[in-house]
Amino acid sequence: MDWITTLEDLHAQYGQPGEAATVKVTNRLTPAYRAWVDRSRFCVLSTVGPEGTDGSPRGDEGSVAAVLDPQTLALPDWLGNNRIDSLRNILRDGRVSLMFLIPGALNALRVNGTARLTADAALRARFARDGKEPRTVIVIDIAEVYSQCARALIRSALWTGGDQSAGLPTVGDMLREITEGRIDGKAYDADWPGRAAQTMW
């Protein structure tokens, strides 16, 4: 296989971006970009650390991230499985990226920046739900924010293709396979809804 190894060859393969692709990048949330963050209940948080990269889905009932000011976002870290891959990465390398998605919208919003972690009581209390608070909050200083065009979501028919999950392996199936049967996959799947209900927030 013939690999592309230089920027010159890469640029020759693609050419120059159009004006809209370059002027859309800002270092702060414009009113239009903020509207996307305010409406988005789901994003993917990407981090990097010594072991490599990590992409983590994040979701909430309301806005998944809070706007502290036009250059700062706050992302609560709700209960999970305590792997804390993203948090460990942030402590060692603050570079992060976020991709915000809204069901039905064909565009996405992308944010690049640097993150820090805090257990500040006042900030955690801002996200309180039914007497529960996130253990920590990820605070993101925005370096770049811009919209992502609709082509990927149109190609994939993500919002229009209907439910395509029938027949997929469950997490229990995956665990049973990885552990060669040591973990009872059916029992894991049967117990999960109850566990999730107790640890959603």
Side-chain angles (χ1 to χ4, degrees), residues 38-83:
D38 288 341
R39 291 275 299 277
S40 180
R41 296 178 295 167
F42 176 86
C43 71
V44 177
L45 168 67
S46 297
T47 60
V48 59
E51 295 83 15
T53 60
D54 181 71
S56 175
R58 302 290 168 134
D60 216 323
E61 286 183 340
S63 300
V64 67
V67 177
L68 301 184
D69 62 56
Q71 288 189 289
T72 314
L73 295 175
L75 187 67
D77 190 67
W78 290 108
L79 287 174
N81 58 18
N82 291 333
R83 281 185 55 100

Side-chain angles (χ1 to χ4, degrees), residues 141-200:
D141 296 319
I142 296 171
E144 295 180 314
V145 55
Y146 52 96
S147 60
Q148 174 70 41
C149 76
R151 291 182 184 88
L153 294 176
I154 292 173
R155 290 185 193 116
S156 66
L158 185 62
W159 309 128
T160 59
D163 186 347
Q164 300 174 23
S165 64
L168 279 177
T170 66
V171 173
D173 293 333
M174 298 173 192
L175 289 170
R176 177 186 49 77
E177 180 181 78
I178 290 167
T179 64
E180 298 180 340
R182 181 172 53 81
I183 291 180
D184 183 336
K186 288 185 178 180
Y188 179 92
D189 290 334
D191 293 343
W192 192 86
R195 291 197 308 274
Q198 298 298 317
T199 59
M200 189 60 67

Side-chain angles (χ1 to χ4, degrees), residues 126-148:
R126 175 174 177 162
F127 296 99
R129 185 184 306 275
D130 299 327
K132 298 180 180 179
E133 298 177 359
R135 293 183 182 178
T136 59
V137 178
I138 303 167
V139 178
I140 297 129
D141 296 319
I142 296 171
E144 295 180 314
V145 55
Y146 52 96
S147 60
Q148 174 70 41

